[in-house]
Amino acid sequence: MSNNGTTAAVKIIPLGGLHEIGKNTCVFEYNDEIFLLDAGLAFPTDEMHGVNIVLPDVTYLRENRHKIKGMIVTHGHEDHIGGIAFHLKQFDIPVIYGPRLAMAMLEGKLEEAGVRDRTELRSVRPRELVRIGSSFIVEFIRNTHSIADSFTVAIHTPLGVVIHTGDFKFDHTPVDGEHYDIQRLAEHGEKGVLCLISDSTNSEVPGHTPSERSVYPNLDRIFMQAKGRVLVTTFASSVHRINMILELAQKHNRVVSVVGRSMLNVIAHARNLGYIKCPDNLLQPLHAIRQLPDENVLILTTGSQGEPMSAMTRISRGAHPHLKIREGDTVVFSANPIPGNTIAVVNTIDRLMMQGAKVIYGREQGIHVSGHGCQEDQKLMIALTRPKFFLPVHGEHRMLVKHSQTAQSMGIPAENMVIIQNGDVVGLSTEEIKVVGKVPAGIELVDTSGSGIVSGKVLQERQQMAADGIVTIAVAIDWNGKLMTKPDIHLRGVVTTINRDLLQKWVQEQIEQVLSDRWTDFARSFDGQEVDIDWAGLQVQLEKDLQRAIRRELQCQPTVTLLMPIPEEPVKAADGRRRRRTTAAPVAS
């Protein structure tokens, strides 16, 4: 009970996954205890220059690290586990519970990031219950998705049961024979579910999502008709799809070579855990299949989304060191482009076709199905769980709205659901669901080096350089505030009709004007004997004034960088006074 005698609310705080696809991260809080459900990443947009991955802002978790009691992982996709290693560099998580495949993949990530000692990993089985802190008991319910070993969770709180679907669809003919535990969902629905938190990804699509098994006959036909080598690209984490491809390769007497680090890792973990079953001699390295006839070769690669450094993209550019497209190759894209990746994918397909490959792609081919439930799957979820309150998650705004409309058509009153954004604090009690506050929930951008977070200012500078180029000005100034030589100007990526000599003359005049007007602001006398020159301050002032003037003159917005080395300090000036340097200017801003 709270201080005013009312029942305390369970707080549900999504930090990612709302109004977007990806970086799914959700906080559950009751009294002074917190646990996380998933912690994913997203991939950068085209204008995020030099950014490798996008993470949610976890300021709230850093500030409340003392409350964190543990974490739940629903499955092993990157948009659900990809951020964990980065977060562990900022705060400890006492224990992480999740399915065996996800835990195996996560362990490798944590070892590589050097944070394996910051948490304890515990694998769980279907219907297993784990206690997190004193407020939460979490039950793992087997579901069906596009990756093996995936769970829906029933969260037992002091106020009632909250069911979070995770990513799901109802696949009645799963490739691995592991069916959705519909019976357990129905049992919770019979007892009473306080709130259903449900995946909205396909809420705009009518009907049911087809079974993963429906892809098999279409791939079978393609493999049978292919006369030369077959190259297949799909999501590295699509264990069920990979399993079918390996099964079909065996059926059509093709040896398989796997290309792409992420796919090799997933296949290794899935084979160790028994999710992929195939004879050892079916998988061979690239060098071992070169002597085989083309009709006996299948190459399984990453790159279904046109990622710049992926194997299939490099093959399409002729830049892969060990693989070149040959006339007669059949390339199969067993994945649909994620929104935002379409241009990269079609460009890859064009390049492959120009090299003589037959490329099979597109929804009408029936070689890919979604791992997310459509409207009828979502209705079935609501019918089974019969929740009092409803919270649509995992989707862009229109998807959340459509999902809420579907829930209303199933009899859940509009006042019993909320459509929220990342950072909204949802207060859930036995009587109502409402937004009760807001926490920071922006994004953190990780540089391609992986060594640090790209600030908003740095990203803005990169965007500016990409759009309008950069002007570099090298200038030498003596201890009397005079130019020692003419400024040296270099333009990179700047479009201008101004003559270079004229631009140099104009820049020189601007610098001399600043030195004439402002030199005494930066060169200060002490006791008439010593002079302290603030070179750093002078450089900042010059750069600022030059940037403003250059942008006005060129009618564009280039980044202006001033290089200003500090001259050697004279032993004695002409006026007899000693001068000393107390503030060093940076070599470049």
Side-chain angles (χ1 to χ4, degrees), residues 187-199:
E187 288 173 357
H188 280 295
E190 186 69 27
K191 293 175 183 176
V193 172
L194 179 63
C195 182
L196 173 66
I197 305 174
S198 189
D199 172 20

Side-chain angles (χ1 to χ4, degrees), residues 77 101 145-148 169 171 173-176 209-220 222-223 232-249 256 263 266-267 270 275-277 282 298 300-301 304-305 332-337 360-363 365-372:
H77 277 149
L101 180 58
H145 184 40
S146 55
I147 186 172
K169 69 177 182 180
D171 190 338
T173 55
V175 173
D176 59 4
T209 301
S211 169
E212 179 69 26
R213 179 57 70 173
S214 67
V215 172
Y216 186 94
N218 299 316
L219 288 174
D220 189 14
I222 292 166
F223 287 17
V232 183
T233 181
T234 189
F235 293 105
S237 57
S238 295
V239 173
H240 302 317
R241 188 77 47 83
I242 292 168
N243 210 9
M244 284 192 291
I245 291 166
L246 295 177
E247 188 179 325
L248 286 166
V256 179
M263 190 168 284
V266 171
I267 290 175
Y275 293 115
I276 288 179
K277 297 180 176 68
L282 180 68
L298 187 146
L300 184 57
T301 82
S304 66
Q305 298 303 304
V332 181
F333 276 73
S334 185
N336 292 333
I360 300 173
Y361 65 96
R363 297 176 188 275
Q365 299 291 338
I367 51 177
H368 176 70
V369 293
S370 175
H372 301 268

Side-chain angles (χ1 to χ4, degrees), residues 76-123:
H77 277 149
E78 284 294 286
D79 60 334
H80 291 259
I81 67 169
I84 297 174
F86 295 93
H87 302 332
L88 283 172
K89 293 177 181 179
Q90 304 177 64
F91 50 82
D92 289 348
I93 301 173
V95 59
I96 301 176
Y97 298 97
R100 293 186 301 154
L101 180 58
M103 292 297 99
M105 294 164 64
L106 184 57
E107 183 159 23
K109 290 176 180 292
L110 301 189
E111 291 280 4
E112 188 174 335
V115 292
R116 181 62 185 84
D117 60 341
R118 304 293 296 269
T119 190
E120 179 184 354
L121 300 180
R122 293 189 189 175
S123 297

Side-chain angles (χ1 to χ4, degrees), residues 252-312:
H252 293 282
N253 196 31
R254 290 181 181 267
V255 172
V256 179
S257 189
V258 180
V259 182
R261 181 186 175 197
S262 57
M263 190 168 284
L264 284 163
N265 285 340
V266 171
I267 290 175
H269 290 310
R271 289 190 75 197
N272 288 339
L273 295 170
Y275 293 115
I276 288 179
K277 297 180 176 68
C278 67
D280 290 341
N281 62 1
L282 180 68
L283 296 168
Q284 297 292 332
L286 272 177
H287 67 81
I289 65 171
R290 289 198 179 115
Q291 308 306 317
L292 295 175
D294 286 356
E295 61 268 23
N296 296 129
V297 171
L298 187 146
I299 297 164
L300 184 57
T301 82
T302 55
S304 66
Q305 298 303 304
E307 305 95 318
M309 296 306 296
S310 65
M312 185 57 77

Side-chain angles (χ1 to χ4, degrees), residues 493-512:
V494 179
V495 178
T496 179
T497 58
I498 298 177
N499 178 276
R500 180 184 177 86
D501 291 337
L502 181 61
L503 183 60
Q504 185 181 49
K505 180 174 179 293
W506 179 74
V507 166
Q508 181 173 336
E509 290 173 354
Q510 291 289 318
I511 294 172
E512 288 174 339

Side-chain angles (χ1 to χ4, degrees), residues 205-209 373-378:
V205 185
H208 288 282
T209 301
C374 295
Q375 289 176 2
E376 296 305 314
D377 299 84
Q378 293 170 351

